[in-house]
Amino acid sequence: VQLQASGGGLVQAGGSLRLSCAASGSIFGIGSMSWHRQVPGKQRELVASIMSGGTTRYAESLKGRFTISRDNAKNTGYLQMNSLKPEDTAVYYCHAGINNGFQWRNYWGQGTQVTVSS
């Protein structure tokens, strides 16, 4: 099982980006999916999460600007980021709980860099 994150890049403040996280391999079910971000020297922080049934949760400071979603048929999660600010600059990681046919395991994507210029 692999998680492939994509969609990061360089954007001006006020702009938008949409991140994708595609799961592939031996997948018998995906539970929660989430996005986290990390800047050098700081701990990785939760950005948003979404359960298999669609229940979402957001970091309080990001509510209203970021939207998490998923397409269960495509085994893919998304993070729509609007009104981006320079402080949103970070490496963004996706995470998912996946049943690989033997057990439920936690998987992380490789990270995608988001840089917001002022």
Side-chain angles (χ1 to χ4, degrees), residues 20-93:
S20 297
C21 176
S24 61
S26 178
I27 298 171
F28 287 76
I30 301 178
S32 67
M33 301 184 80
S34 58
W35 290 93
H36 305 250
R37 67 185 184 183
Q38 188 170 25
V39 298
K42 292 191 176 182
Q43 284 190 331
R44 191 173 297 186
E45 63 174 354
L46 175 68
V47 172
S49 64
I50 183 168
M51 304 302 290
S52 57
T55 301
T56 59
R57 190 177 76 171
Y58 296 90
E60 196 64 33
S61 61
L62 300 176
K63 283 183 179 179
R65 294 195 299 121
F66 289 15
T67 302
I68 190 171
S69 61
R70 62 192 286 169
D71 185 332
N72 291 329
K74 295 182 179 179
N75 292 332
T76 300
Y78 306 96
L79 183 68
Q80 178 68 42
M81 305 184 294
N82 299 328
S83 302
L84 283 162
K85 304 175 181 180
E87 51 263 43
D88 294 319
T89 296
V91 178
Y92 284 70
Y93 298 90

Side-chain angles (χ1 to χ4, degrees), residues 79-117:
L79 183 68
Q80 178 68 42
M81 305 184 294
N82 299 328
S83 302
L84 283 162
K85 304 175 181 180
E87 51 263 43
D88 294 319
T89 296
V91 178
Y92 284 70
Y93 298 90
C94 61
H95 171 272
I98 298 175
N99 186 326
N100 59 20
F102 297 97
Q103 59 183 332
W104 285 92
R105 285 191 58 188
N106 292 314
Y107 292 89
W108 287 92
Q110 83 284 9
T112 184
Q113 176 71 47
V114 171
T115 303
V116 184
S117 63

